Amino acid sequence: MRLRTCPGPAEAGVLLLHGGRADGLDAPSLLNLPGLRMRPFGAAVLRASNGHAVALGEVRYRHRGWNGDRADTVRDARAAHAELTGTHGPLPVVAVGHSMGARAALRIGGDPGLSGVVALAPWCPPGEPVAHLAGRRVVLVHSDRDRITDPAGSLHFALRARQAGAEVCRVVIPGSDHAMLRRAADWHGLAGRLVAGLLGLADLPADIAAALAIGRHGNHGLALPTPPPTG
């Protein structure tokens, strides 16, 4: 893991979990483009955190793939969380993942010390576990034009997690893509505000806070208005 520390004691931590493949035992390349794609999200979190000291952990996987029941990405995510707290002590931590990394973030979302999950274009195959997310705050963000991970899968996951007791909402960014390149500024800005809000370093966007609160009592409010283009 590449750990970007902050001056002085950290007040909170963020795990950035990049995408990958369903299968692949080879190591990520040195360039690791999926990892580079997460760097702007880390910068957006720092901008949104109102000067609070946040430690960013950029997780680098041992293997490029999820690899079935091995779930290698989950092992790496948990090891990175342990390293982050081992360096900075107990901290509120939000896991931010993209695609395969979002699946891993959702898998560890119920672990002790995790304050919430932001899942970007998440890979949510049928039957993914949700019971461990009871009582946790989870925001899923997906494009309606994603051709790699199914937007219907994240909606179904969100509904199941809501029924299991999680505080969940889902935001659709229309006209974008799986790589989050179209409307990139909207992805970055929204993710930064979400993470800062889940960590208690800033206010959550009002509509998301309302949807999460409504979600404690049923399925109403799961879908939110889409964020406007930034220009």
Side-chain angles (χ1 to χ4, degrees):
M1 180 178 73
R2 180 176 183 263
L3 181 58
R4 295 168 59 184
T5 58
C6 49
E11 300 174 56
V14 177
L15 291 177
L16 299 174
L17 297 154
H18 65 74
R21 299 177 177 177
D23 298 290
L25 294 175
D26 53 322
S29 67
L30 290 177
L31 182 59
N32 195 17
L33 288 175
L36 292 177
R37 186 174 292 131
M38 298 303 292
R39 294 279 180 89
F41 289 96
V45 168
L46 296 179
R47 288 195 298 271
S49 296
N50 295 323
H52 293 278
V54 178
L56 295 175
E58 298 175 357
V59 182
R60 183 179 178 86
Y61 310 135
R62 295 166 299 153
H63 308 287
R64 297 179 75 176
W66 180 273
N67 300 319
D69 291 341
R70 290 170 53 119
D72 288 314
T73 317
V74 177
R75 297 183 187 185
D76 292 339
R78 287 196 166 116
H81 185 208
E83 181 181 346
L84 181 65
T85 55
T87 300
H88 289 283
L91 293 172
V93 175
V94 167
V96 182
H98 173 238
S99 191
M100 180 183 77
R103 185 181 181 186
L106 292 167
R107 281 284 185 100
I108 69 170
D111 288 4
L114 265 292
S115 299
V117 174
V118 176
L120 308 170
W123 175 25
C124 297
E128 273 295 286
V130 295
H132 64 291
L133 294 172
R136 299 302 174 95
R137 293 187 294 174
V138 178
V139 182
L140 301 96
V141 188
H142 222 141
S143 169
D144 58 343
R145 296 187 183 179
D146 196 320
R147 298 296 180 262
I148 305 298
T149 56
D150 186 3
S154 68
L155 177 59
H156 185 58
F157 179 94
L159 289 168
R160 291 173 55 237
R162 175 72 59 80
Q163 292 167 357
E167 297 179 26
V168 183
C169 68
R170 180 176 174 272
V171 182
V172 175
I173 298 186
S176 184
D177 55 3
H178 182 71
M180 308 177 295
L181 297 176
R182 291 193 292 271
R183 298 190 63 178
D186 296 320
W187 286 92
H188 300 155
L190 176 62
R193 294 192 298 275
L194 289 172
V195 174
L198 291 174
L199 289 172
L201 306 179
D203 292 333
L204 276 168
D207 52 357
I208 290 175
L212 291 173
I214 291 171
R216 298 177 193 141
H217 309 293
N219 289 333
H220 178 65
L222 181 65
L224 292 176
T226 56
T230 56

